[in-house]
Amino acid sequence: MSEGRGQATSVEPPADDDDVPRYWRDLGLPGLVDVHVHFLPPRVQAKVWQYFADGEKHYGVPWPLAYAVPDEERLATLDRLGVRAFPTLPYPHKAGMAAWLNDWSAEFAESHPGVLKSATFYPEPEAPFYVAEALDRGVRIFKVQVQVGSFDPRNPLLDPVWARLEETGTPVVIHCGSGPLAGEHTGPEPVTGLLERYPRLQLVIAHLGMPEYRDFLDLAERYERVHLDTTMLATDFTERLMPFDPADRPRLSDLRAKVLLGSDFPSIPHAYAHQLAALHRLELGEEWLRAVLWENGARLFGLEVP
Ligand SMILES: [Zn+2]
């Protein structure tokens, strides 16, 4: 058996959401850090959920939403699950929207503990200004959505933004793979070009770049600060549509310090516990799970153990 694979663990995967705290406790963790959670202004959230409700039309399969409930209930769910830190990851689908999303997100983070202040940007002349403002007010993480925003991350309007973020090292969760939906600018090429110009960017590749996992594993191996988030990786839904090749598991094991738990809560077609069980069944061992579910995120965001 190759390195890091098939490692024995006596810890049982979580059976359901109620069982999640037992799971991280058995692993010896103080909770979870989830780098891919969304909280959006109510009107925007409603539109996103409407899109998923038409899942059959957009994805060819239904996308039942397990957590389409008001903000306060979702915050209580994360608290019960033991998610100690999480962002809100706003993203615009057009110009003129990002600054407003950033204001809303800053206010949300200031009024709720455990929330990592989040912001976004779009290729528009104002971007360097509202990104600077976001950094001034203590934003910990940015989100970029190449498919929904339908832009090339190498757009020259974003040059000053990337230059600044390379300097600050602020993590940027970037949805850039072609799954579950391909876009004009998705796939490894634009991000590869971006990293050639800004090799020190602290990028977090959302969904591990699905379905182009292999190309994004290459980037994480090549660039010191490129991370990968696990959002929907190895879940039943993804394994049906965009399976992860078991032959690449040793690479995932070797990248242990750069893989971060992500879930896409609340817009997921399964229980939160299923994401954890899906990572568990990759059989990469308890050390790997501890790094991914807590340690890497805690380090990236400078969290104190509660
Ligand atoms: Zn997402």
Side-chain angles (χ1 to χ4, degrees):
M1 193 144 311
S2 73
E3 197 191 333
R5 290 193 58 196
Q7 291 184 10
T9 169
S10 53
V11 176
E12 289 291 320
D16 54 32
D17 283 4
D18 290 341
D19 193 32
V20 166
R22 189 275 311 157
Y23 180 62
W24 50 253
R25 254 180 234 122
D26 281 0
L27 286 170
L29 297 176
L32 304 167
V33 179
D34 186 337
V35 78
H36 199 132
V37 168
H38 296 282
F39 277 87
L40 303 167
R43 221 158 31 94
V44 180
Q45 185 64 77
K47 278 192 186 156
V48 170
W49 282 340
Q50 189 51 54
Y51 189 86
F52 285 114
D54 300 333
E56 199 100 49
K57 190 166 93 202
H58 301 296
Y59 299 105
V61 288
W63 194 292
L65 289 171
Y67 302 101
V69 295
D71 283 357
E72 296 303 324
E73 276 179 58
R74 272 179 278 136
L75 287 163
T77 299
L78 290 170
D79 189 52
R80 268 198 309 277
L81 289 164
V83 181
R84 306 284 183 223
F86 56 90
T88 62
L89 304 188
Y91 52 95
H93 61 276
K94 58 179 188 198
M97 206 181 157
W100 168 76
L101 285 170
N102 293 351
D103 289 344
W104 187 90
S105 300
E107 214 169 285
F108 188 87
E110 277 155 19
S111 44
H112 298 94
V115 177
L116 298 163
K117 199 178 278 184
S118 309
T120 189
F121 49 88
Y122 189 88
E124 53 196 340
E126 309 88 316
F129 303 102
Y130 60 68
V131 165
E133 193 188 337
L135 289 166
D136 285 346
R137 60 185 177 199
V139 159
R140 317 277 294 278
I141 185 166
F142 285 87
K143 165 77 186 235
V144 169
Q145 230 295 8
V146 164
Q147 182 258 322
V148 171
S150 192
F151 60 85
D152 190 315
R154 295 166 297 183
N155 186 310
L157 284 167
L158 291 178
D159 278 337
V161 170
W162 294 123
R164 180 81 197 273
L165 294 177
E166 188 180 44
E167 210 178 273
T168 60
T170 315
V172 181
V173 175
I174 181 164
H175 182 128
C176 49
S178 303
L181 290 177
E184 199 188 332
H185 305 288
T186 59
E189 203 220 306
V191 174
T192 303
L194 180 68
L195 284 164
E196 279 163 11
R197 282 151 74 185
Y198 303 100
R200 300 273 301 149
L201 281 173
Q202 191 111 249
L203 295 186
V204 179
I205 309 292
H207 305 275
L208 235 131
M210 74 178 52
E212 293 108 341
Y213 303 109
R214 209 163 273 162
D215 300 289
F216 289 104
L217 286 168
D218 288 346
L219 292 181
E221 286 165 355
R222 197 175 323 145
Y223 292 95
E224 191 197 329
R225 294 165 105 182
V226 172
H227 295 69
L228 304 160
D229 90 28
T230 67
T231 306
M232 295 197 69
L233 174 71
T235 59
D236 292 346
F237 178 89
T238 303
E239 283 302 291
R240 260 196 322 272
L241 298 175
M242 296 165 284
F244 186 84
D245 186 344
D248 285 327
R249 283 191 206 176
R251 297 177 74 192
L252 210 50
S253 173
D254 292 345
L255 285 166
R256 182 174 91 192
K258 307 180 100 181
V259 181
L260 300 155
L261 170 66
S263 67
D264 234 347
F265 179 88
S267 301
I268 42 180
H270 47 243
Y272 194 95
H274 177 60
Q275 177 68 73
L276 301 175
L279 297 174
H280 187 97
R281 72 188 174 190
L282 289 171
E283 297 189 321
L284 296 173
E286 287 184 29
E287 287 293 311
W288 189 86
L289 289 165
R290 277 189 281 273
V292 171
L293 304 184
W294 174 267
E295 292 159 5
N296 297 338
R299 193 174 58 245
L300 196 61
F301 299 109
L303 304 183
E304 309 272 328
V305 174

